[in-house]
Amino acid sequence: MLWNTLLLALRSIRRNLMRSFLTVLGIVIGVAAVITMVTLGNGATQSIADQVASLGSNLLIMRPGQRLSAGRETAGAPNFKLSDAEAIAAQIGAVRAVAPTASRGSTVIHGARNWATGITGSTNAWFETGNWQLASGRLFGEAEERGGKAVCVIGETVRRELFRQQDPLGESIRIKQFSCEVIGTLVSKGQSAFGSDQDDVIVMPLRTVQRRLIGTQDVSGLRISVRDDASIDQAKKQVVLLMRERRKIAPNEDDNFSVLDTRQITETLSGTTRVMTTLLGAVAAVSLLVGGIGIMNIMLVSVTERTREIGIRLAIGALEREVLLQFLIEAVVLSSLGGLIGIVLATGASIGLAGLMQVPYIFNPSINLMSFVFSAAIGVIFGFFPARRAARLDPIEALRHE
């Protein structure tokens, strides 16, 4: 019986193809919009996580002052020393690498080209903590780090702006009053989660930057990479306790330095993206309700048009539940068909928009299944009233209907 009822429903839909298409259009748009919004939101969240991860894995960033940003918040807070980095690496077993950093912006010159960029002084640990890989050349030698030799490793943006298609290895660039030999280039990372260009960087030995650019032995920041098998929260607590001891901070005094776990950045940015995705998905889901109302409207029209047919079926012995089931299945078929078409459209739209927005396309089977089930449920909910109305028709009155 169920199969015959399904065939009757399909036959009725086929008789009015244009009307059936317009009826399910709201469901199609609703399902496609919900899936597309959620998929793109998941892709944006993953993109943010990947960008933050490019800063370094299990990374703690330490700066003087109560906040990580430079400016008045760091005023009066003493800078770090190279010995602080050595103490953290020696005394905290969970730490994989510690990179002391000192930075300064400057204009660099090669031949007739110049470029304003950031210059970072550090050790080879800087490349390890930041997950940097060499595109060509080598890192600093031990003697170069200890003696503060004028050598540098450059990012892709600096290489492109100063050297174009020329091989930069062995070439010299001028920074203020001294020349620096390029010994390596870095693999491109692109933009960070904050929109800055990670490839616009020149890395030199820490002592070189301290002596030739800054003029002090201060260290403006520490980048601490925690081992994968260690607790980053526990390592952070140990680092804070050690630095409070070394900076002679009394128990009743606040820290004069800040430690940021990059996971906090990921959680904050990803949380914001998830909220926006939920809001957009909720707005898009409204069109599903509109589509359900459209289905109910058309089903009521269909009941009115087919009143005589319903009367004949009831007169020759059809049960009320059979008539109810016929119209209910017809509504469910319409909404389910709209759900399937919406899933196909959403897949194509998500792939295209993900490429346009430069975020990864992540297929989410749960949201696709949920959208389809919800569209079928819309057919049941909004199709029940017209189906019940058809089933309760008086056969005699229905046969008199013109």
Side-chain angles (χ1 to χ4, degrees), residues 18 40 109 119 124 142 152 154 183 192 229 241 244 262 264 284 306 310 331 336 341 352 372 402:
M18 180 57 69
L40 293 178
I109 302 171
I119 299 173
N124 282 335
E142 184 179 347
C152 62
I154 62 175
I183 63 171
S192 70
D229 59 346
L241 290 175
R244 285 182 63 88
T262 51
Q264 297 173 354
R306 296 157 62 186
I310 296 169
S336 299
I341 297 174
F372 177 75
E402 294 295 338

Side-chain angles (χ1 to χ4, degrees), residues 129-147:
T129 59
N131 292 336
W132 286 97
Q133 296 181 354
L134 284 175
S136 62
R138 61 177 178 84
L139 300 180
F140 310 132
E142 184 179 347
E144 293 171 337
E145 286 189 345
R146 188 172 55 252

Side-chain angles (χ1 to χ4, degrees), residues 328-343:
L328 196 58
I329 287 179
E330 190 172 324
V332 172
V333 167
L334 281 172
S335 58
S336 299
L337 184 60
L340 289 174
I341 297 174
I343 290 173

Side-chain angles (χ1 to χ4, degrees), residues 157-232:
T157 299
V158 177
R159 184 206 66 77
R160 184 179 65 248
E161 296 296 335
L162 292 183
F163 295 95
R164 306 299 182 189
Q165 303 301 321
Q166 180 184 354
D167 184 5
L169 295 183
E171 297 291 331
S172 294
I173 57 176
R174 192 165 79 253
I175 305 171
K176 292 188 179 294
Q177 304 303 320
F178 69 96
S179 294
C180 178
E181 179 187 355
V182 178
I183 63 171
T185 61
L186 297 170
V187 173
S188 175
K189 280 191 177 183
Q191 285 192 339
S192 70
F194 308 101
S196 60
D197 185 1
Q198 297 184 85
D199 300 323
D200 191 8
V201 65
I202 296 178
V203 187
M204 302 174 64
L206 178 62
R207 295 187 184 277
T208 307
V209 173
Q210 289 175 332
R211 292 174 183 174
R212 301 195 180 218
L213 291 177
I214 299 177
T216 69
Q217 296 298 310
D218 291 337
V219 172
S220 60
L222 298 174
R223 296 170 61 90
I224 305 167
S225 179
V226 181
R227 293 200 325 265
D228 293 336
D229 59 346
S231 168
I232 192 168

Side-chain angles (χ1 to χ4, degrees), residues 63-327:
R63 293 287 302 274
Q66 289 295 312
R67 300 183 183 179
L68 283 169
S69 57
R72 289 182 299 175
E73 295 82 1
T74 62
N79 283 316
F80 302 113
K81 301 294 183 181
L82 181 59
S83 58
D84 293 328
E86 295 171 346
I88 292 173
Q91 298 182 35
I92 300 179
V95 170
R96 182 178 65 181
V98 182
T101 61
S103 303
R104 180 62 57 89
S106 181
T107 299
V108 295
I109 302 171
H110 173 73
R113 301 187 184 93
N114 63 81
W115 182 251
T117 186
I119 299 173
T120 298
S122 190
T123 64
N124 282 335
W126 185 86
F127 303 98
E128 182 178 357
T129 59
N131 292 336
W132 286 97
Q133 296 181 354
L134 284 175
S136 62
R138 61 177 178 84
L139 300 180
F140 310 132
E142 184 179 347
E144 293 171 337
E145 286 189 345
R146 188 172 55 252
K149 188 175 179 181
V151 293
C152 62
V153 178
I154 62 175
E156 175 60 23
T157 299
V158 177
R159 184 206 66 77
R160 184 179 65 248
E161 296 296 335
L162 292 183
F163 295 95
R164 306 299 182 189
Q165 303 301 321
Q166 180 184 354
D167 184 5
L169 295 183
E171 297 291 331
S172 294
I173 57 176
R174 192 165 79 253
I175 305 171
K176 292 188 179 294
Q177 304 303 320
F178 69 96
S179 294
C180 178
E181 179 187 355
V182 178
I183 63 171
T185 61
L186 297 170
V187 173
S188 175
K189 280 191 177 183
Q191 285 192 339
S192 70
F194 308 101
S196 60
D197 185 1
Q198 297 184 85
D199 300 323
D200 191 8
V201 65
I202 296 178
V203 187
M204 302 174 64
L206 178 62
R207 295 187 184 277
T208 307
V209 173
Q210 289 175 332
R211 292 174 183 174
R212 301 195 180 218
L213 291 177
I214 299 177
T216 69
Q217 296 298 310
D218 291 337
V219 172
S220 60
L222 298 174
R223 296 170 61 90
I224 305 167
S225 179
V226 181
R227 293 200 325 265
D228 293 336
D229 59 346
S231 168
I232 192 168
D233 294 323
Q234 187 64 27
K236 182 178 179 180
K237 292 179 182 178
Q238 294 174 356
V239 168
V240 171
L241 290 175
L242 177 60
M243 292 308 299
R244 285 182 63 88
E245 178 184 347
R246 292 185 59 83
R247 294 165 79 88
K248 297 180 174 56
I249 300 174
N252 60 341
E253 293 179 345
D254 294 331
D255 296 339
N256 58 8
F257 60 92
S258 302
V259 183
L260 175 67
D261 180 356
T262 51
R263 293 180 308 175
Q264 297 173 354
I265 303 175
T266 304
E267 292 170 0
T268 300
L269 296 178
S270 298
T272 302
T273 306
R274 281 193 292 268
V275 170
M276 293 301 298
T277 301
T278 303
L279 290 176
L280 290 173
V283 171
V286 173
S287 59
L288 278 175
L289 298 177
V290 175
I293 294 171
I295 287 178
M296 183 170 66
N297 184 41
I298 293 301
M299 291 305 299
L300 286 172
V301 172
S302 179
V303 169
T304 302
E305 289 179 345
R306 296 157 62 186
T307 300
R308 188 174 181 82
E309 173 193 333
I310 296 169
I312 294 173
R313 292 196 62 195
L314 291 171
I316 62 176
L319 301 177
E320 286 189 8
R321 61 183 177 86
E322 293 175 343
V323 175
L324 174 69
L325 189 62
Q326 177 188 347
F327 282 88

